[in-house]
Amino acid sequence: MPKYQMLAEWLQQKIAEGFYQPGKKLPSEQELQAQFSVSRQTVRRALGVLERQGFVRSRQGSGTFVTDAEAEEKSRSRRIAVVTTYVDNYIFPRIIRGIEKVLSDQGFQVQIAFTNNRIWREEAVLADLLKQDLGGLIIETTRSALPNPNLALYRELQSRKIPILFLNSSYPELTCPMVALQDEMAGRCAAQYLIEHGHRKLGGLFKRDDGQGIRRYRGFMEAVRDAGIRPCEDGILWFDTEDTLAFGRLEQAVAERLGSCTGVLCYNDSAAFEVMEIWKRHGISVPGDVSVVSVDNTDLAVLGEVGLTSVHHPKEALGEKAAEMLLSMIRTGIPGCTYEFEARLVERDSVKKIGGTTEL
């Protein structure tokens, strides 16, 4: 074991035993050097490990102190910022309700903002938060499948020891935990359900500028491959944030390319609702002509003429979990771990069983 790691574990053990009390100063670098006959670099690496793990805090010009989580929580701002992409989306009001319930019960104030899934709006929100006394941040990523130009703002928040937790997706360049649905498994179980019902000519509609869309596509394609089915590439369509504002521009491709499949996975219930409206105008019935599976299991899944089979999204439970994790990060000073809710399918009437195993 490297010397710095041995020293870090020894100090951690002494902190756990109460030999070094919360809020008290550790021996100086010179004292640790002399005590353990190691270099200053070894001491600094050991202290760096402990600080990253949340056991100690370094103070410029003063030394290194054992973390006093209780005292830090009392002195920390009670304001938590919650930032989502949309305000009126069918999922986010319930996510926010779950977050607000947990945080309010613990005496925290919730400040809500929205980015409309726009990079420039995310930049403005983050810049405003940097001017505030903030205790923590729960934020949904903006177009997480694309390179993000606002990473420096996130890093500035991190440098100020403000805990950050992501919703639904994350930015791979940042070491922040995430609470989300198991998106790859959502895509996989949707495809498997169609395959189990005899479908071999499978298509899909996925969102290309959000990480969820990429992961759902990946799970979908893995299930198709594992079933020994040749992918129907012409039956895969992609849309982005701009397309959601004018879905009609995809009408011809949705009618011709997706309409020629027997089974289709849609990115979410909202997209599935739009697709089925287009098919209705073109005389394509669900599930008579095409079977459909979606993701989110929202009210939209039961509002149409045909009940939509959909992968359940935890919504309010996801919000509660996110709030609980952020509170733990605030109180312990230790970075949280990513948590993903299990994907499970809710069956309705949008998929029919067909016979045969016709090749594409």
Side-chain angles (χ1 to χ4, degrees):
M1 183 182 297
K3 290 182 179 180
Y4 79 89
Q5 189 173 344
M6 294 175 63
L7 177 56
E9 292 191 2
W10 185 87
L11 289 169
Q12 181 180 337
Q13 180 65 31
K14 289 299 181 182
I15 291 171
E17 293 172 353
F19 185 81
Y20 296 123
Q21 292 289 319
K24 300 300 182 181
K25 186 178 178 180
L26 289 180
S28 67
E29 292 181 1
Q30 293 87 344
E31 289 171 330
L32 290 172
Q33 274 185 263
Q35 182 176 351
F36 292 94
S37 299
V38 294
S39 67
R40 174 170 289 189
Q41 181 65 20
T42 295
V43 172
R44 288 180 174 176
R45 288 188 69 182
L47 295 176
V49 168
L50 293 178
E51 184 162 21
R52 286 192 297 274
Q53 293 175 342
F55 290 102
V56 300
R57 295 281 186 270
S58 61
R59 299 178 190 171
Q60 189 77 23
S62 298
T64 302
F65 295 78
V66 178
T67 300
D68 189 341
E70 184 176 351
E72 288 187 6
E73 184 183 354
K74 289 180 180 178
S75 65
R76 186 183 291 273
S77 169
R78 308 294 287 182
R79 182 186 295 118
I80 304 297
V82 177
V83 183
T84 62
T85 49
Y86 301 108
V87 59
D88 56 353
N89 185 281
Y90 51 61
I91 284 181
F92 296 112
R94 295 181 62 181
I95 293 176
I96 292 171
R97 185 161 62 239
I99 293 172
E100 197 276 336
K101 176 183 176 183
V102 173
L103 294 180
S104 294
D105 286 347
Q106 296 297 316
F108 285 83
Q109 299 173 333
V110 178
Q111 172 182 328
I112 300 174
F114 308 96
T115 66
N116 295 320
N117 211 31
R118 301 288 184 180
I119 295 294
W120 66 266
R121 178 60 186 159
E122 180 190 49
E123 178 185 19
V125 168
L126 293 173
D128 182 62
L129 292 178
L130 282 167
K131 300 175 185 177
Q132 301 181 28
D133 182 20
L134 198 63
L137 171 61
I138 298 175
I139 184 166
E140 188 193 18
T141 50
T142 297
R143 305 195 184 199
S144 55
L146 305 178
N148 188 284
N150 298 325
L151 297 180
L153 295 172
Y154 281 104
R155 293 190 175 107
E156 177 62 23
L157 288 165
Q158 287 180 311
S159 73
R160 299 184 187 185
K161 308 299 183 185
I162 297 174
I164 301 174
L165 185 140
F166 286 125
L167 292 174
N168 294 326
S169 192
S170 64
Y171 299 125
E173 299 89 346
L174 299 174
T175 55
C176 300
M178 170 187 73
V179 177
L181 174 69
Q182 289 180 341
D183 286 302
E184 285 192 30
M185 184 55 66
R188 173 179 283 275
C189 72
Q192 288 173 338
Y193 186 78
L194 290 168
I195 292 167
E196 289 167 0
H197 282 70
H199 295 272
R200 296 296 180 268
K201 192 170 185 180
L202 302 179
L205 178 66
F206 302 96
K207 199 163 187 284
R208 61 173 157 244
D209 57 357
D210 282 340
Q212 301 100 298
I214 303 301
R215 292 192 294 274
R216 290 170 192 177
Y217 167 77
R218 185 182 298 126
F220 176 85
M221 294 301 287
E222 287 175 353
V224 170
R225 179 202 61 199
D226 292 348
I229 300 173
R230 187 168 68 250
C232 181
E233 295 185 29
D234 288 343
I236 301 296
L237 292 182
W238 295 89
F239 71 101
D240 57 25
T241 298
E242 279 66 36
D243 292 324
T244 61
L245 304 176
F247 214 87
R249 72 181 70 176
L250 299 174
E251 180 151 349
Q252 184 174 353
V254 167
E256 294 180 0
R257 292 170 58 181
L258 293 185
S260 66
C261 301
T262 67
V264 170
L265 167 62
C266 289
Y267 169 74
N268 62 12
D269 293 347
S270 179
F273 190 84
E274 297 285 352
V275 166
M276 290 191 291
E277 286 297 303
I278 291 174
W279 284 344
K280 185 177 179 180
R281 292 194 292 270
H282 287 261
I284 300 171
S285 68
V286 175
D289 297 313
V290 185
S291 293
V292 180
V293 179
S294 182
V295 181
D296 282 348
N297 190 36
T298 62
D299 293 341
L300 283 176
V302 296
L303 289 178
E305 297 176 2
V306 178
L308 183 61
T309 295
S310 184
V311 178
H312 179 71
H313 188 288
K315 305 176 191 69
E316 192 164 340
L318 185 145
E320 292 175 357
K321 183 66 176 180
E324 291 165 359
M325 284 180 56
L326 186 73
L327 288 177
S328 176
M329 293 165 65
I330 291 171
R331 289 166 174 166
T332 66
I334 300 174
C337 298
T338 289
Y339 183 91
E340 293 183 309
F341 283 84
E342 182 179 358
R344 59 180 179 85
L345 203 66
V346 178
E347 299 181 48
R348 294 191 179 90
D349 304 320
S350 61
V351 176
K352 76 171 184 179
K353 192 172 184 64
I354 62 176
T357 55
T358 304
E359 290 292 331
L360 300 182

